[in-house]
Each structure stands twice: as structure tokens, then as C-alpha cells.
Amino acid sequence: MFNLNDNLKKKKFLIYGYGKSGRSAHNYLKKNNKIAIYDDHKKYKKISISLKKIKSTQFDYIVLSPGIDINKCRLTKYLKKNKNKIITDLDIFYLNNPDNLKITITGTNGKSTTAKLLFKILKDQNKDVILAGNIGIPILSKKKINLRTIFVIEASSYQIDYSQFFKTNYAFILNISPDHLERHKSIQKYAHAKFKLILNQHKNFYAFIGRNIYLNKEIKKYRIKSRIIKINPNYHKIKKKISNNYFDNINNLNNLSFILEFAKVFKLNSSKLLKT
């Protein structure tokens, strides 16, 4: 298993799924490791390892693209047999950058908008900040990282579900409504996949969650280490000062409440925040 002293060198990786995140993982790992690639799509046939070779090779880790359903793919049996080896690009990123501050945003509606807004707010407050993740910017493609760099990460339920080691200092679960149920099978399992963000947190971390029956069930089920802040809509005063058509949308307004609560904890400058 991984530990924080493991710098991911001299390992054998199978990268399954050669989309944006798969390619970025390949570029990130290829200098110091042996990499094999597999993708169901025909256009990657020339660079894909054979099924026979996969089964005869002892891989250390399998980097799985979030878009692949472990129950409905060509490697279903193999992946289930080797589930303890499955990791994501988020895991690789975390294990190589454990000390960087991470703010991870998930939920059914408004993840991208909220992540972009928070990124812009932190940028305007002169923070060294990077936006990445499910928003279309693979996290392993980012360079020029120092210990002061803050990451705003959009994460899907698929990414969180497959990740084993990723931890975030601040977790946002904006909202939960039926989505991706063909894969998660039930809305409670879908909620649990997102809730893993909180289960992996340390005691000095923060979790911002909407008031939601599915998330409440998760809270009652587990012993939570981090500090949970339940979000009530608190945008009414600031709404009067904002001239921005995006905030005519009730989802965006509700998600703004998360940022306002985060701003209190993070002690952001309120006048700069309002200007952003």
C-alpha cells in the first residue's frame, strides 16, 4: 500500500482509460515508472496492452479513469479481483503534494460554477491558487506548485468513489439529487460516494454540507473527525449588493451560501469578495 514516503518511483502502473486524466497521469508517471495503457476505444488500439498481457503482468497500481464503470467494462473481472490496487489521479496528486491546501467541491448541481467562483475570489485576494479536477483540467497537468499553492478541485462522485488516499482540507457537498443512478444504483449510495470526501478528513479539517436527508443519514452512520458546518441559505444581504444575472438562479444563490461560510472560516476580505 502507499504511504507518504512513497514517491511513486519504480512501480508498474496500468492506466485504464486514456482520456484527459489518463494522459496526464501517463505524462506524470512515465519518467520513473513502467507504464502500460489500456482503453476500450478503438482509436487507442495501437498503444493499448493486450488483455492477455494485463493478466500475466503483476501491476502495482491501476489508475482508473472515473468515466469507466467497473461493473460494465472489458476488465470487470480483473478490476474486481484487483480492487485494492485501483487509484485515481487525485490519489497520485495527494500523495505527492500532501501539504498543499486543498478545497474540494462536489454535489449534483453547480460544482463548476462554484469552483470557478471560489477560484476567482481567492485569486482576487492575492492567493496562489490553481483550479483543476473534473472541471476539465487534469490535476496532474499542473506545474509550478509550491507549498503556498492552494488547490480548488471539482470532484465527481466517480472520482471520489474510486479514490483511496485523497484528502481535502475543506470539503463542499453542495447538494444531492438523483443523478448517475445507473451506476450508483441508489441515491443513498450516490450520496455515500460523495460523502467519502468527509470520511477521509482529519480532525482539523472542515466539511460544508447542505441540509439534505441523504447526507444526514451518512452523518448519523459514521464517526466524523472533521468539523461539519451545515449550510443554511445566508445570501439575502449580499444579494441586494450584487448585480449579476447568474445569481438570479436559485442553485447558484444556494451555492453562494457555501462560499460565504467558507469566507468566514478562511477569514477572507469581505469587500474584495463582494467586488469579485
Side-chain angles (χ1 to χ4, degrees):
M1 298 296 284
F2 274 122
N3 59 65
L4 294 181
N5 295 318
D6 185 343
N7 57 7
L8 306 182
K9 289 183 179 178
K10 298 180 181 178
K11 301 290 189 293
K12 286 184 181 178
F13 285 87
L14 173 64
I15 295 176
Y16 186 9
Y18 207 58
K20 283 184 179 180
S21 64
R23 289 194 295 274
S24 67
H26 183 208
N27 290 332
Y28 191 89
L29 295 167
K30 67 183 180 182
K31 184 178 178 181
N32 299 303
N33 302 281
K34 291 183 178 180
I35 309 292
I37 297 161
Y38 185 79
D39 195 291
D40 292 336
H41 202 286
K42 289 180 181 178
K43 69 178 179 179
Y44 297 119
K45 189 175 180 180
K46 288 184 179 179
I47 60 171
S48 285
I49 188 174
S50 69
L51 292 173
K52 186 178 179 180
K53 186 75 172 173
I54 288 173
K55 292 173 184 177
S56 64
T57 304
Q58 190 64 36
F59 291 104
D60 294 299
Y61 306 108
I62 303 164
V63 184
L64 189 59
S65 168
I68 293 168
D69 186 346
I70 195 172
N71 296 303
K72 295 179 181 177
C73 64
R74 290 184 183 176
L75 298 184
T76 291
K77 288 183 181 179
Y78 176 81
L79 292 176
K80 287 182 177 179
K81 186 179 177 181
N82 294 278
K83 201 168 183 179
N84 65 322
K85 295 181 180 180
I86 293 174
I87 60 170
T88 68
D89 57 343
L90 289 181
D91 291 318
I92 297 167
F93 162 74
Y94 172 77
L95 291 164
N96 278 287
N97 303 278
D99 298 323
N100 283 86
L101 202 67
K102 302 161 192 73
I103 307 160
T104 307
I105 298 170
T106 193
T108 305
N109 297 303
K111 294 188 294 294
S112 296
T113 303
T114 308
K116 286 178 184 176
L117 178 58
L118 184 56
F119 166 75
K120 186 68 168 65
I121 285 168
L122 290 170
K123 197 81 174 169
D124 289 351
Q125 307 243 348
N126 300 315
K127 304 293 184 184
D128 178 3
V129 59
I130 285 175
L131 177 66
N134 192 58
I135 203 161
I137 309 165
I139 200 158
L140 295 180
S141 67
K142 291 299 178 181
K143 305 192 187 315
K144 296 182 180 178
I145 300 168
N146 60 64
L147 285 176
R148 295 189 308 277
T149 305
I150 298 169
F151 285 84
V152 175
I153 302 163
E154 182 192 328
S156 71
S157 59
Y158 299 160
Q159 284 175 302
I160 301 165
D161 200 23
Y162 284 151
S163 294
Q164 291 197 50
F165 308 103
F166 179 72
K167 290 179 175 59
T168 185
N169 305 77
Y170 298 88
F172 290 31
I173 305 183
L174 302 176
N175 45 63
I176 298 288
S177 58
D179 199 17
H180 304 305
L181 299 191
E182 74 287 348
R183 183 145 153 191
H184 291 293
K185 306 305 178 189
S186 74
I187 191 167
Q188 195 61 53
K189 287 181 179 178
Y190 170 58
H192 177 72
K194 291 183 177 294
F195 201 75
K196 273 183 66 180
L197 266 188
I198 295 171
L199 293 177
N200 288 344
Q201 287 186 302
H202 294 308
K203 64 179 181 179
N204 56 333
F205 291 178
Y206 286 83
F208 302 86
I209 68 169
R211 293 186 177 273
N212 180 286
I213 57 170
Y214 306 108
L215 295 175
N216 285 340
K217 285 181 181 179
E218 294 296 312
I219 290 171
K220 289 175 182 176
K221 245 191 276 186
Y222 300 99
R223 182 175 173 271
I224 312 300
K225 294 177 184 176
S226 56
R227 181 179 173 185
I228 290 186
I229 298 176
K230 291 189 177 181
I231 304 298
N232 288 314
N234 63 350
Y235 53 77
H236 302 288
K237 287 183 181 179
I238 200 171
K239 175 71 166 70
K240 296 173 184 176
K241 302 175 184 178
I242 295 173
S243 177
N244 184 329
N245 292 336
Y246 281 105
F247 292 111
D248 291 337
N249 179 301
I250 190 63
N251 274 331
N252 288 344
L253 276 175
N254 285 330
N255 294 342
L256 177 62
S257 298
F258 282 76
I259 288 178
L260 297 177
E261 285 299 325
F262 169 82
K264 292 177 190 175
V265 173
F266 211 69
K267 298 179 180 178
L268 295 178
N269 181 295
S270 55
S271 59
K272 285 184 179 179
L273 184 146
L274 181 61
K275 187 177 178 181
T276 304

